[in-house]
Amino acid sequence: DQQVKQNSPSLSVQEGRISILNCDYTNSMFDYFLWYKKYPAEGPTFLISISSIKDKNEDGRFTVFLNKSAKHLSLHIVPSQPGDSAVYFCAASVGGGADGLTFGKGTHLIIQP
Amino acid sequence: NAGVTQTPKFQVLKTGQSMTLQCAQDMNHEYMSWYRQDPGMGLRLIHYSVGAGITDQGEVPNGYNVSRSTTEDFPLRLLSAAPSQTSVYFCASSYGETSGYGYTFGSGTRLTVV
């Protein structure tokens, strides 16, 4: 039973346009949501997070939106750059992450020149 | 400031052998955890720790042991390696709330069991 789902294995976006990555979850106990970026042969890199009491968090080109009623979150990247090409993982935690993170399967974002 | 250091980077084991994957962090983080990543899968939690002397099981703990004798180190032991344990293993650490609950990950250990 997958508690965090990323239903798009890949996404192709033109350079300069907006990239929107989606994530759904089933566990209502999740109270923190995070996005990670991963390049091949490297560990995941933390991008941005959002508490379940908020509906939006912004950091530079990255914005995460949370819709609790729909159990859905999304990551917006504006504008998309070639260096954004990577695998993006959505993750969630209960109790502030002390018990580790639950990850989705990832979305491979490809930025086309 | 090295962050999270994992050794070795690559390892080949024979079925039935045991080994320890090392993980060390120099950020004085309380939370640490181990994950494995398999093709087409996200990262799955093996074991985690909320502080020295405290460990608990994650989603896929079978075949693995951990201990946390110091804040800095969190080794993962494979008791009797099996081909199903062929994977990339990541160790991570976090301050918790002060870091937005974001975990810092090591660069991984690629393990092959033959």
Side-chain angles (χ1 to χ4, degrees):
Chain A
D1 177 32
Q2 209 178 352
Q3 298 186 67
V4 177
K5 300 177 185 178
Q6 294 177 258
N7 293 319
S8 299
S10 66
L11 175 67
S12 184
V13 174
Q14 269 198 315
E15 182 179 355
R17 307 293 290 267
I18 183 172
S19 295
I20 300 176
L21 295 95
N22 294 303
C23 178
D24 298 295
Y25 63 96
T26 58
N27 188 346
S28 299
M29 299 299 293
F30 287 142
D31 57 7
Y32 231 87
F33 302 91
L34 308 94
W35 284 94
Y36 281 83
K37 174 181 180 179
K38 187 181 182 304
Y39 294 119
E42 294 184 10
T45 302
F46 171 60
L47 274 178
I48 190 169
S49 62
I50 187 167
S51 164
S52 60
I53 63 173
K54 296 186 176 181
D55 55 17
K56 177 183 175 181
N57 189 26
E58 193 172 354
D59 184 1
R61 296 187 299 116
F62 302 94
T63 303
V64 56
F65 296 92
L66 175 62
N67 182 334
K68 279 190 68 177
S69 61
K71 292 190 174 68
H72 177 84
L73 63 153
S74 61
L75 174 69
H76 293 211
I77 306 173
V78 184
S80 300
Q81 300 175 354
D84 296 331
S85 293
V87 177
Y88 288 77
F89 289 100
C90 173
S93 68
V94 176
D99 299 349
L101 302 174
T102 301
F103 282 85
K105 292 186 177 182
T107 296
H108 185 193
L109 176 65
I110 303 162
I111 305 301
Q112 304 278 8
Chain B
N1 194 344
V4 178
T5 302
Q6 290 185 239
T7 55
K9 292 193 182 302
F10 302 94
Q11 183 71 49
V12 179
L13 285 180
K14 293 183 179 179
T15 298
Q17 286 185 319
S18 62
M19 80 160 293
T20 299
L21 280 63
Q22 301 292 344
C23 175
Q25 53 94 4
D26 60 0
M27 299 172 284
N28 202 32
H29 286 172
E30 288 299 319
Y31 302 165
M32 295 188 75
S33 48
W34 276 101
Y35 301 82
R36 59 177 289 174
Q37 185 187 17
D38 301 299
M41 305 286 289
L43 283 75
R44 291 184 292 169
L45 181 65
I46 305 171
H47 284 285
Y48 62 94
S49 169
V50 299
I54 306 169
T55 64
D56 209 340
Q57 297 180 353
E59 179 187 356
V60 288
N62 292 340
Y64 308 95
N65 272 354
V66 291
S67 59
R68 184 100 180 267
S69 56
T70 65
T71 299
E72 294 78 20
D73 299 299
F74 191 42
L76 177 73
R77 296 184 191 84
L78 279 70
L79 309 172
S80 177
S84 61
Q85 293 179 303
T86 293
S87 188
V88 181
Y89 291 84
F90 292 100
C91 177
S93 70
S94 172
Y95 264 135
E97 184 171 5
T98 55
S99 62
Y101 299 106
Y103 275 79
T104 300
F105 281 79
S107 58
T109 294
R110 185 174 294 273
L111 176 68
T112 303
V113 182
V114 297

